[in-house]
Amino acid sequence: MDAFVRAGIEVPGHVSIVGYDDSTLAHLVHIDLTTVNQDAAAQARHAVLAAVQRLDEGRKQRLEVVLNPRLVVRGSTGPPPRPEDQSLGR
């Protein structure tokens, strides 16, 4: 984002940026990054549960858990530029 801003490219005016891990930095006001939240806490709970089941309960079969990601829209994304504004210099 800083490189775009230094180059005079507006975020989100000329380009949109999306992250993938909803880190603590994404929440900061000056970053305000749109991101995909993958619920790290739920991932950790399922991983620990799977390990306990294998170690304490003798589970041998494969275990698959699917968690639904969630898009968190913040200030780093916007609508596409209008055709008359396609030039990055505008």
Side-chain angles (χ1 to χ4, degrees), residues 13 79-87 90:
R82 297 176 309 202
E84 62 269 16
D85 292 336
Q86 288 297 311
S87 168
R90 294 180 77 177

Side-chain angles (χ1 to χ4, degrees), residues 46-65:
H46 285 286
V48 169
L49 179 61
V52 168
Q53 287 175 342
R54 177 158 292 199
L55 295 172
D56 290 349
E57 300 170 16
R59 179 183 54 79
K60 296 194 185 319
Q61 72 277 15
R62 181 174 171 256
L63 178 64
E64 182 174 320
V65 176

Side-chain angles (χ1 to χ4, degrees), residues 6-87:
R6 282 193 301 272
I9 299 170
E10 296 175 14
V11 177
H14 294 120
V15 66
S16 288
I17 300 175
V18 178
Y20 64 91
D21 64 355
D22 199 18
S23 71
T24 303
L25 293 176
H27 299 253
L28 297 177
V29 173
H30 69 282
I31 295 177
D32 202 27
L33 182 66
T34 294
T35 187
V36 176
N37 180 294
Q38 300 178 59
D39 197 353
Q43 289 179 22
R45 282 192 305 277
H46 285 286
V48 169
L49 179 61
V52 168
Q53 287 175 342
R54 177 158 292 199
L55 295 172
D56 290 349
E57 300 170 16
R59 179 183 54 79
K60 296 194 185 319
Q61 72 277 15
R62 181 174 171 256
L63 178 64
E64 182 174 320
V65 176
V66 177
L67 300 174
N68 291 320
R70 180 176 57 91
L71 180 64
V72 180
V73 178
R74 294 193 181 101
S76 67
T77 54
R82 297 176 309 202
E84 62 269 16
D85 292 336
Q86 288 297 311
S87 168

